[in-house]
């Protein structure tokens, strides 16, 4: 039986035989069926190091995934992002975007044996491409992972580098209390339509007995809004949710659950429901504000196409499909 360590060694050249998978032009790996998606991803990055200059580090959404952060809805064909120090010859090929590192202090951070950029630099590079919703998801995840150096982040946010304005806005709205990308989207939706909310609030009845924690509590009301993602369809989680809701029986709290489809595809309906519950008039400008954020994010087809076009240009990929 072949050694698995040998199977993980990248192969350079024009080899295109059965049993090998193409990572990029002239870069192949032997196929393996015993790996998880994350393990296959790490294996690909080890192969990419074979064509990157010495001292290269992974950054942008590649670095974010390598650090284990929760990600927004990335396009299926998102490239690998790397950065190099100094001014070496940077490889330019489909599937890879390589930029220059710019920092005052070096970092030797590694994840899964792979060199990775600092959290602050990763976020700044993401801020140059991604929308507000995407950025807040990444900032929240970085905070929850404990990867943010507050001093280093203050230096980045105080600079005039590209992407800083967008990163400042995301940093200002990020909260460590938000536990998932879905909760972030729900939170930002309420912010966009001017509904003040507090995340992950412990609810108590009139006797002070704890009823449970809520994703979002509308401040000044008894309304509780929660994100009902795929995890809530799990049998064990569903039973837990039902027990919790029975515990709320007889209290003044009113729970409403929302899915990603509600927030992205039917925001007008959701906003009207909330307006009626709060007894306030509708304001179409709130709806337009939210739609603009969604359209500029990876959660919309327009946003994904915009980002992929930008990345294709950076990779030097020419699309001839629309050429007459």
């Amino acid at each position: 039986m072949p050694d698995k360590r040998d199977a993980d060694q990248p192969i350079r050249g024009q080899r295109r035989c059965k049993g090998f998978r193409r990572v990029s032009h002239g870069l192949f790996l032997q196929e393996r069926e015993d790996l998880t998606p994350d393990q296959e991803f790490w294996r690909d990055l080890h192969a990419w190091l074979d064509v990157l200059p010495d001292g290269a580090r992974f950054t942008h959404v590649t670095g974010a995934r390598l650090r284990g952060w929760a990600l927004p809805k990335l396009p299926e064909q998102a490239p690998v992002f790397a950065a190099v120090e100094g001014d070496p010859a940077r490889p330019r090929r489909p599937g890879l975007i390589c930029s220059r590192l710019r920092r005052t202090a070096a970092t030797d951070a590694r994840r899964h044996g792979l060199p990775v950029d600092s959290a602050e630099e990763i976020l700044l590079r993401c801020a140059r491409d991604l929308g507000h919703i995407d950025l807040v998801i990444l900032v929240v995840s970085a905070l929850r992972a404990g990867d943010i150096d507050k001093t280093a982040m203050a230096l980045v946010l105080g600079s005039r580098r590209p992407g800083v304005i967008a990163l400042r806005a995301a940093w200002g709205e990020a909260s460590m209390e938000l536990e998932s990308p879905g909760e972030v989207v729900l939170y930002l939706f309420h912010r966009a339509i001017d509904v003040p909310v507090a995340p992950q609030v412990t609810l108590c009845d009139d006797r002070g007995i704890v009823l449970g924690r809520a994703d979002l509590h509308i401040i000044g009301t008894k309304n509780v809004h929660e994100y009902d993602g795929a995890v809530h369809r799990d049998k064990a989680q569903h039973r837990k949710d039902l027990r919790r809701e029975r515990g709320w029986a007889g209290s003044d709290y009113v729970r409403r659950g929302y899915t990603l489809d509600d927030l992205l595809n039917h925001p007008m309906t959701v906003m009207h429901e909330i307006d009626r519950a709060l007894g306030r008039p509708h304001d179409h400008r709130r709806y337009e504000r939210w739609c603009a954020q969604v359209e500029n994010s990876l959660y919309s087809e327009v946003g994904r196409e915009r980002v992929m076009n930008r990345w294709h240009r950076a990779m030097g990929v020419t699309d001839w499909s629309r050429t007459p």
Side-chain angles (χ1 to χ4, degrees), residues 299-315:
Y299 287 93
S300 75
E301 185 175 346
V302 172
R304 288 192 297 275
E305 184 176 358
R306 174 186 60 82
V307 167
M308 282 306 302
N309 286 339
R310 181 186 180 100
W311 290 345
H312 281 151
R313 290 193 298 271
M315 288 184 286

Side-chain angles (χ1 to χ4, degrees), residues 52-232:
L52 286 167
D54 292 339
R57 296 171 192 144
F58 294 107
T59 190
H60 208 293
V61 293
T62 305
R65 182 177 175 184
L66 195 51
R67 283 180 172 273
W69 300 352
L71 302 174
K73 187 178 179 180
L74 295 177
E76 290 184 8
Q77 302 300 323
V80 168
F81 291 88
V84 295
E85 292 187 78
D87 194 22
R90 290 176 290 163
R92 186 176 174 89
R93 59 170 66 201
L96 175 69
I97 296 178
C98 191
S99 57
R100 289 189 182 90
L101 287 168
R102 177 182 172 183
R103 59 167 39 80
T104 55
T107 177
D108 57 356
R110 300 184 78 86
R111 294 292 189 276
H112 309 288
L114 291 157
V116 64
D117 214 347
S118 68
E120 301 76 34
E121 291 293 328
I122 287 173
L123 291 171
L124 185 60
R125 280 170 170 76
C126 289
R128 297 167 186 172
D129 294 335
L130 307 184
H132 183 68
I133 295 173
D134 312 316
L135 275 178
V136 176
I137 288 172
L138 289 169
V139 172
V140 167
S141 187
L143 286 169
R144 292 183 62 83
D147 284 351
I148 298 290
D149 181 321
K150 297 292 181 67
T151 301
M153 179 59 82
L155 289 174
V156 169
L157 295 178
S159 71
R160 296 183 178 182
R161 296 170 61 186
V164 163
I165 293 176
L167 184 55
R168 280 195 205 115
W171 180 258
E173 289 206 292
S175 170
M176 284 184 63
E177 300 297 325
L178 300 167
E179 296 181 347
S180 70
E183 286 186 25
V184 173
V185 176
L186 182 63
Y187 174 77
L188 292 177
F189 172 76
H190 284 75
R191 299 270 293 181
I193 64 171
D194 297 328
V195 175
V197 291
Q200 292 300 323
V201 173
T202 300
L203 305 179
C204 301
D205 63 14
D206 294 336
R207 296 170 294 174
I209 297 175
V210 175
L211 302 175
R213 286 172 65 85
D215 290 349
L216 293 180
H217 172 228
I218 298 182
I219 297 172
T221 75
K222 293 292 186 177
N223 294 319
V224 170
H225 292 176
E226 298 197 295
Y227 175 70
D228 287 343
V231 66
H232 292 275

